[in-house]
Amino acid sequence: GYVGLASAIPAITLNLVGGVVADRFDKIRLITVTQTASATLVLILALLTVSDVVRPWHVLTIAVIAGAVNAFNQPARQSLYPQLVDKSVMGSAVALNSSIWQGTRILAPATAGVLIAVFGTASAFFLAAGMMLVLSLVVNVLKVSEQTPERSSSAILDVGEGLRFIRTNPVFLFLISMTFFN
């Protein structure tokens, strides 16, 4: 519970800033950097675990940093989808993405449980870090045309515009509010 909270607070707090950054910078580079940072954090946890020095404060600190990194990764990934998927199949792509996401929330812990039972806890972290690095490499070779959205000259004005949009659109307000109860 504490780890979830430690990860959620920076993710929620920085998500709007992450969205503005995703709109202003190269999404591929941002995803590559954030995925590599996430992999590095998990690798640190693996090394702390294998050396038998890991403590709760290590896990909580890594969770806070990972939550902050994810606040920049998620908006960049989500804003990249329209450049990768044709509009005519976007609904199917979103449904498939959601299914895969939910499936991995079941399959990954089960796989980690087997790895931990057979090879020890650090093995699950090493595998997770490796998979994150693979994703970083795969995203880095994607070829997409960069679309420059209309934006103000101020990131603060962009955040304000995003907040106004959420406040004036009840469906988005409801959906975003529901994510806080994840």
Side-chain angles (χ1 to χ4, degrees):
Y2 288 131
V3 171
L5 183 64
S7 177
I9 288 173
I12 292 167
T13 305
L14 295 173
N15 207 322
L16 283 172
V17 176
V20 170
V21 170
D23 284 345
R24 291 175 172 264
F25 294 98
D26 179 12
K27 291 170 191 55
I28 298 292
R29 182 170 293 155
L30 182 58
I31 294 168
T32 302
V33 167
T34 56
Q35 278 299 129
T36 304
S38 293
T40 303
L41 291 168
V42 174
L43 183 60
I44 290 169
L45 188 56
L47 293 171
L48 289 169
T49 302
V50 81
S51 62
D52 202 30
V53 296
V54 69
R55 299 291 175 259
W57 74 267
H58 294 126
V59 177
L60 291 172
T61 302
I62 289 171
V64 168
I65 298 168
V69 168
N70 199 39
F72 292 87
N73 181 280
Q74 284 292 85
R77 277 199 286 159
Q78 291 173 356
S79 66
L80 192 61
Y81 293 153
Q83 293 171 279
L84 297 173
V85 179
D86 189 70
K87 281 186 180 186
S88 65
V89 294
M90 184 62 75
S92 297
V94 169
L96 178 62
N97 182 56
S98 296
S99 298
I100 291 170
W101 178 252
Q102 294 306 320
T104 58
R105 292 179 76 162
I106 296 167
L107 188 60
T111 304
V114 171
L115 282 173
I116 290 168
V118 175
F119 300 108
T121 305
S123 67
F125 293 135
F126 281 120
L127 180 63
M131 293 288 99
M132 288 177 180
L133 285 175
V134 167
L135 178 61
S136 177
L137 293 172
V138 168
V139 168
N140 201 35
V141 298
L142 286 176
K143 301 295 182 215
V144 295
S145 59
E146 190 61 32
Q147 298 173 344
T148 308
E150 288 184 31
R151 62 179 184 229
S152 69
S153 59
S154 165
I156 294 172
L157 290 175
D158 287 346
V159 169
E161 181 181 336
L163 287 171
R164 277 188 298 282
F165 177 81
I166 292 166
R167 190 181 69 240
T168 59
N169 290 281
V171 171
F172 285 100
L173 180 60
F174 173 76
L175 291 173
I176 290 171
S177 298
M178 290 306 296
T179 64
F180 293 125
F181 298 104
N182 216 359

